[in-house]
Amino acid sequence: MTATTENTTLTIGCETGNYHTFCPISCVAWLYQKIEDSFFLVIGTKTCGYFLQNAMGVMIFAEPRYAMAELEEGDISAQLNDYEELKRLCEQIKRDRNPSVIVWIGTCTTEIIKMDLEGLAPKLEAEIGIPIVVARANGLDYAFTQGEDTVLASMALRCPDRQPELAQEKQERNPLQRLLHFGKTKEDIDTTESSYADHPPLTLFGSLPDPVVTNLTLELQKHGIRVSGWLPAKRFTELPTIEPGSYVCGVNPFLSRTATTLVRRRKAKLINAPFPIGPDGTRAWIEAIGAALGVVPQGLAEREQQIWDSLEDYRQLIRGKSVFFMGDNLLEVSLARFLIRCGMIVHEIGIPYMDQRYQAAELALLAKTCQEMNAPIPQIMEKPDNYNQVQRIYELQPDLVITGMAHANPLEARGINTKWSVEFTFAQIHGFSNARDILELVTRPLRRNSGLKSLGWEQLV
Amino acid sequence: MKLAYWMYAGPAHIGTLRIASSFRNVHAIMHAPLGDDYFNVMRSMLERERQFTPVTTSVVDRHVLARGSQEKVVDNIVRKDSEEHPDLIVLTPTCTSSILQEDLENFVERAKLDAQCEVLLADVNHYRVNELQAGDRTLHQIVSHYLTKAAKTGTLRTTKTAQPSVNILGITTLGFHHHHDCTELKRLMSDLGIHVNLVIPEGASVDQLETLPQAWFNLVPYREIGPLTAQYLQQTYAMPYVDIAPMGVMETARCIRAIAEILHQLDPQISATCFDDFIQTQTRHVSQAAWFSRSIDCQNLTGKKAVVFGDSTHAAALTKILSREMGIHVVWAGTYCAYDAEWFTAQVSGYCDRVLITEDHGQIGDAIAQTEPAAIFGTQMERHVGKRLGIPCGVIAAPVHIQNFPLGYRPFVGYEGTNQICDLIYNSFTLGMEDHLLEIFGGHDTKTAMHKGITADSDLHWQSDAQSLLQQVPGFVRGKVKRNTEKFARDRQISTITLEVFYAAKEAVGA
């Protein structure tokens, strides 16, 4: 299957699935930092441990709140009792760290030997008195960021379904509101309260760094939309209340299982919106939320334009340039849509997994953006084949390839500019304020190369 | 089950992949789930490799769990054969795939029928051997496969070269300073008048393996990878080998004398003391290490406490250098190569107070804290322990980070290696001393003055929520963000910095 640039409608191809990505257990690296009272226990082999140790680089030395339960030959052949072994390790964790929750990450090995983690967890939870959440984030089923999806889907079931406290108390104990009200007087708070429109409760899901959480919450507050809570919160003990019939909206494109769980198991209503990546995405995201809640946002067009204006210096660098996404973290469609709006031409959007229902609004915005920018509609390639992709890259000679570290240096040595895709996962890219950070990343190889242009050693193989 | 978050040696398949990807035109296919191809990232990152790493995955997913791999592995082998035309494809099981107990041997047999290249199944048990042992085995497996084949087809070259010659065994990709060591060993051999017949596996083609027996002897610089092959060549082709790592002045001399002894036995016309003059000249004039140990710099190090931890080769060599060549007091020396404990203990006994053999980094950290040495020589893990305890550390062994793949020439072996090791040791100790003096004399006197100049008190009021957000900005850019935000506020005559102002400033200047 080959990509063509003359597509007129959005087509989604599928290849062999032979591509490079991170194992989904990597989600522990950012989730343990996000959920401050958690402990992540990855139940797997040396291979899993080796990956975490090398992929997480220096974080491993910062006494992280995660560890491997390394399976030995006796565990594989069931000479040892899984329950007793896990109990021993979890008691040790309780003694040393005293977390509010232990998250068990199931791996390929626990799948193959059919270790019943979901069955063991409630029993052990009752025995040691610490909640145990089970997420099967394994390489048999998922890619990279989908690991977070499996964890949040399990956590969604732990959210309380109604506020236990009185209304008055509820306001004061809500951690997010407390954060936003920090340092304000009682009068200030009351003014803020009255500025909210009367709408059903809204919970946002997706793990983001705290400054981005505050930023997006304030952005909605400007339009009178109150965010009742975030899944996940800073602490496991502060998981948001999700009442049946309340609204939920995702902030990242890889959270389809979490969305499904919230809708089916928690009876929440999902707001299908493009994701708040880039000023166009952020505006569409706020508009979709407003539309669902019956609030009309004011002054968004000006706000978006103002951001675009502030990006002009970077947009000049990439306008008319082409980009190829090899695909590994599921952010690809949103990023491609933003870059097309910036004036780039996208050849191919490789993506590990494409949930056309969860990403429906994002896909629609992509098609609309292509039309408005008069840009060719890119080929979306699910489960790509890296070998074939490299052949297509040779043929197309794109100005930029967004790819994993396995291919970046070899492509650079062949004179092809690359940007390491994993950086988009860890950088702050959401909301109006962070649009510049995305372009900072995208333009970096182009800026570097304009500095080296005259040296004459692009090809070094 | 074992609670762990750091390991010194990687899983077995890493060793196999290191061997396969070191050879020229050999491709490895891992039978593994998605995401297990992290080896490619490490090679591309750490070695800054320009070529695509010749490793692909035959992905194990749900369908494979349900129905078995069926044609998948065979198809992947045949496909790779037609795309890349390698000489050899090594099918590599992983810990996950080894539990599936699929008949990989059968896949290899079937793939052989359709592929132009040779196909081998790496013969390693993932639950019993680690990266280093697996590397040693895979090298042996590939060498014996090609030699047996050459013996059958009659292409084996057993006639010895006219001049003395050597094979260097065990130089691999992702090995600690292996590339530099390889260059230094070749130079040493050329200085001794010994022709290098073949270096394996790094840069060698499998077709060249049939020329291995024409060398006079084998040199195995590292204890971890190569000995099995050397033993096999000795048993099968009566090739003698030298397995003394030429690290440090004394060990380099011992290695060269062992080579002279072998040459003497093979050709009585060569004297067993033929290299003694060379050793003398090198020791006195090329290596600075012997002179360094006489100098007053080194005198200052006398009796200082150090600890050593790493793989067998490097930890043993460093212990001997510190103790024997520099008069440093090695309180304990240890290795994570627990499977080779006996050899290590024999090597370092007499050069340290205590031997510590463990794969548990926590135990090593505790032992360092209790010992309070003036310097540590260990892996990246020990460097971080040192950082936490305020003790300097020289990195002498894998596991390592990208800074341990230097662009400059940094061998650990041979006479230039002795110079490099001296610098490493001396710099570790003096840095520690400098720190200590700074502490005694109250630090750099410019420190406070500079600090004041940079963070002049501001006339602006930071609201506490904006202030706390500022605290979340990483330390190294916080000053810049603060200045930019305040400039933004001043330009607009804003006197109080709120959250809104903070974000607006970020949007305006990209702070």
Side-chain angles (χ1 to χ4, degrees), chain A residues 240-255:
Chain A
T241 304
I242 297 172
E243 297 164 30
S246 67
Y247 282 85
V248 292
C249 187
V251 296
N252 265 323
F254 45 77
L255 297 170

Side-chain angles (χ1 to χ4, degrees), chain B residues 104-238:
Chain B
L104 297 180
E105 195 69 63
N106 173 41
F107 293 155
V108 165
E109 289 308 319
R110 277 168 50 205
K112 274 180 187 167
L113 300 176
D114 292 325
Q116 302 295 310
C117 66
E118 293 269 334
V119 190
L120 277 180
L121 174 66
D123 181 21
V124 285
N125 181 324
H126 278 75
Y127 292 90
R128 300 203 181 152
V129 296
N130 69 17
E131 168 188 354
L132 301 169
Q133 294 162 290
D136 201 15
R137 279 163 198 240
T138 305
L139 183 61
H140 168 228
Q141 192 189 354
I142 293 176
V143 166
S144 67
H145 173 81
Y146 277 93
L147 290 188
T148 314
K149 187 183 151 205
K152 267 188 207 150
T153 55
T155 53
L156 192 69
R157 291 198 245 156
T158 45
T159 326
K160 297 292 171 196
T161 54
Q163 295 302 310
S165 59
V166 62
N167 298 317
I168 300 174
L169 312 180
I171 309 285
T172 70
T173 187
L174 288 175
F176 183 72
H177 293 240
H178 274 202
H179 292 294
H180 307 299
D181 283 358
C182 184
T183 309
E184 186 65 17
L185 287 174
K186 282 180 181 167
R187 192 158 86 181
L188 181 63
M189 291 305 127
S190 128
D191 287 349
L192 297 173
I194 297 171
H195 169 70
V196 176
N197 184 57
L198 198 57
V199 177
I200 59 165
E202 188 63 46
S205 135
V206 286
D207 296 331
Q208 293 172 304
L209 292 175
E210 62 192 32
T211 67
L212 277 173
Q214 66 187 16
W216 287 29
F217 70 103
N218 294 312
L219 176 62
V220 190
Y222 310 114
R223 177 72 189 165
E224 290 75 26
I225 296 180
L228 278 182
T229 311
Q231 285 155 20
Y232 162 79
L233 291 169
Q234 186 188 40
Q235 279 156 18
T236 321
Y237 301 100

Side-chain angles (χ1 to χ4, degrees), chain A residues 405-419:
Chain A
M405 211 34 132
H407 295 101
N409 269 337
L411 286 172
E412 288 282 353
R414 285 159 181 78
I416 293 167
N417 296 326
T418 61
K419 181 77 218 121

Side-chain angles (χ1 to χ4, degrees), chain A residues 137-196:
Chain A
N138 62 68
L140 294 169
D141 301 310
Y142 305 111
F144 196 10
T145 48
Q146 287 180 290
E148 175 181 323
D149 193 21
T150 62
V151 174
L152 296 189
S154 298
M155 289 227 172
L157 301 177
R158 300 291 181 134
C159 295
D161 57 1
R162 66 189 136 83
Q163 286 286 3
E165 295 100 345
L166 298 167
Q168 175 66 32
E169 212 178 341
K170 169 172 120 186
Q171 296 302 336
E172 281 164 17
R173 306 230 359 209
N174 184 329
L176 191 70
Q177 297 305 323
R178 204 171 54 211
L179 176 72
L180 293 172
H181 292 159
F182 194 74
K184 290 189 186 158
T185 61
K186 185 85 171 67
E187 288 70 41
D188 282 345
I189 295 170
D190 287 342
T191 338
T192 324
E193 290 303 314
S194 63
S195 68
Y196 284 125

Side-chain angles (χ1 to χ4, degrees), chain B residues 254-490:
Chain B
R254 195 159 77 90
C255 176
I256 295 173
R257 289 204 176 96
I259 292 173
E261 184 62 38
I262 281 177
L263 297 185
H264 174 66
Q265 276 168 16
L266 293 175
D267 181 356
Q269 285 186 348
I270 300 174
S271 147
T273 55
C274 60
F275 297 139
D276 284 10
D277 287 346
F278 173 81
I279 294 173
Q280 286 299 322
T281 324
Q282 294 285 318
T283 305
R284 283 165 199 278
H285 303 296
V286 175
S287 169
Q288 299 292 321
W291 157 235
F292 175 75
S293 58
R294 278 302 295 183
S295 72
I296 53 159
D297 281 340
C298 191
Q299 207 178 83
N300 279 337
L301 301 182
T302 307
K304 282 203 175 299
K305 284 199 289 184
V307 298
V308 182
F309 192 76
D311 60 17
S312 307
T313 309
H314 291 87
L318 253 288
T319 306
K320 289 183 204 170
I321 294 170
L322 289 167
S323 166
R324 196 163 50 168
E325 297 178 16
M326 296 187 173
I328 289 161
H329 177 196
V330 180
V331 184
W332 51 261
T335 180
Y336 53 82
C337 298
Y339 61 92
D340 202 20
E342 208 175 311
W343 180 87
F344 183 80
T345 311
Q347 290 292 307
V348 299
S349 62
Y351 300 115
C352 59
D353 302 351
R354 197 153 57 89
V355 178
L356 197 55
I357 288 164
T358 179
E359 294 172 73
D360 177 1
H361 71 92
Q363 203 186 330
I364 293 299
D366 290 347
I368 293 172
Q370 283 156 14
T371 312
E372 294 185 54
I376 307 166
F377 298 94
T379 71
Q380 278 293 337
M381 193 44 154
E382 283 67 50
R383 190 172 73 84
H384 282 267
V385 173
K387 244 184 189 171
R388 207 163 54 206
L389 300 173
I391 302 170
C393 176
V395 175
I396 55 142
V400 288
H401 285 171
I402 192 152
Q403 67 263 40
N404 301 110
F405 289 87
L407 300 172
Y409 187 52
R410 301 259 193 286
F412 264 63
V413 300
Y415 287 106
E416 177 55 25
T418 62
N419 295 337
Q420 297 292 337
I421 294 174
C422 275
D423 278 342
L424 180 75
I425 294 174
Y426 183 62
N427 289 344
S428 302
F429 277 108
T430 44
L431 286 178
M433 181 65 99
E434 197 172 68
D435 260 8
H436 185 59
L437 288 176
L438 281 174
E439 214 161 89
I440 291 174
F441 293 114
H444 288 289
D445 54 358
T446 51
K447 208 171 173 182
T448 36
M450 276 176 61
H451 203 65
K452 239 177 202 160
I454 290 166
T455 59
D457 283 358
S458 110
D459 50 334
L460 288 160
H461 172 62
W462 280 74
Q463 219 173 47
S464 49
D465 47 0
Q467 182 76 50
S468 66
L469 201 63
L470 181 67
Q471 291 310 313
Q472 288 174 18
V473 174
F476 63 98
V477 285
R478 198 178 300 144
K480 185 183 154 212
V481 171
K482 183 166 186 251
R483 279 195 304 280
N484 284 345
T485 311
E486 290 182 350
K487 180 172 182 302
F488 174 86
R490 266 192 213 101

Side-chain angles (χ1 to χ4, degrees), chain A residues 68 70 111 141 211 414 433, chain B residues 2 4 51 62 503 507:
Chain A
M68 291 292 306
E70 194 184 311
E111 288 296 312
D141 301 310
R414 285 159 181 78
S433 317
Chain B
K2 204 166 75 180
Q51 303 300 337
R62 280 285 156 191
Y503 285 118
E507 284 160 24

Side-chain angles (χ1 to χ4, degrees), chain A residues 16-23 41 45-47 49-51 53-55 60-61 63-64 66-73 75-76 80 82 85-86 88-89 92-93 108-109 111-113 115 138-143 179-180 182-184 210-211 214-215 218 303 307 310 385 387-388 390 394 405-407 409-411 413-414 432-434 436-437 460-461, chain B residues 1-14 33-38 40-42 44-46 48-53 56-63 65 72 76 79-80 83-84 94-97 99-100 125-131 359 380-382 384 388 399-401 463-465 468-469 472 499-500 503-504 506-511:
Chain A
T16 61
N18 212 320
Y19 61 100
H20 165 74
T21 182
F22 273 18
C23 174
L41 184 67
T45 60
K46 254 183 178 318
T47 304
Y50 196 66
F51 163 71
Q53 163 175 334
N54 286 295
I60 204 90
F61 301 109
E63 293 215 16
Y66 66 80
M68 291 292 306
E70 194 184 311
L71 300 170
E72 291 165 299
E73 208 166 4
D75 297 302
I76 305 298
L80 296 167
D82 297 339
E85 290 295 297
L86 283 168
R88 184 170 57 82
L89 299 192
Q92 191 183 335
I93 292 165
C108 305
T109 308
E111 288 296 312
I112 295 172
I113 64 174
M115 195 183 277
N138 62 68
L140 294 169
D141 301 310
Y142 305 111
L179 176 72
L180 293 172
F182 194 74
K184 290 189 186 158
D210 293 335
T214 317
N215 190 1
L218 282 174
R303 179 110 171 88
I307 299 293
S310 73
D385 185 297
Y387 181 86
N388 296 345
V390 169
Y394 288 158
M405 211 34 132
H407 295 101
N409 269 337
L411 286 172
R414 285 159 181 78
F432 286 123
S433 317
N434 291 316
R436 196 174 177 84
D437 296 49
L460 287 159
V461 194
Chain B
M1 270 180 223
K2 204 166 75 180
L3 196 63
Y5 68 92
W6 171 265
M7 65 185 81
Y8 285 103
H13 70 272
I14 298 290
L34 201 65
D36 273 5
D37 60 350
Y38 195 71
N40 299 32
V41 177
M42 289 182 63
S44 177
M45 279 281 281
L46 298 178
R48 299 180 194 85
E49 182 56 55
R50 300 175 199 201
Q51 303 300 337
F52 289 98
T53 302
T56 42
T57 311
S58 177
V59 180
V60 174
D61 56 15
R62 280 285 156 191
H63 299 294
L65 285 201
K72 198 172 185 180
N76 280 322
R79 177 185 161 186
K80 201 39 76 182
E83 282 168 359
E84 310 263 358
T94 56
C95 52
T96 306
S97 76
I99 322 171
L100 290 176
N125 181 324
H126 278 75
Y127 292 90
R128 300 203 181 152
V129 296
N130 69 17
E131 168 188 354
E359 294 172 73
Q380 278 293 337
M381 193 44 154
E382 283 67 50
H384 282 267
R388 207 163 54 206
V400 288
H401 285 171
Q463 219 173 47
S464 49
D465 47 0
S468 66
L469 201 63
Q472 288 174 18
L499 275 181
E500 285 80 2
Y503 285 118
K506 182 178 158 63
E507 284 160 24
V509 289

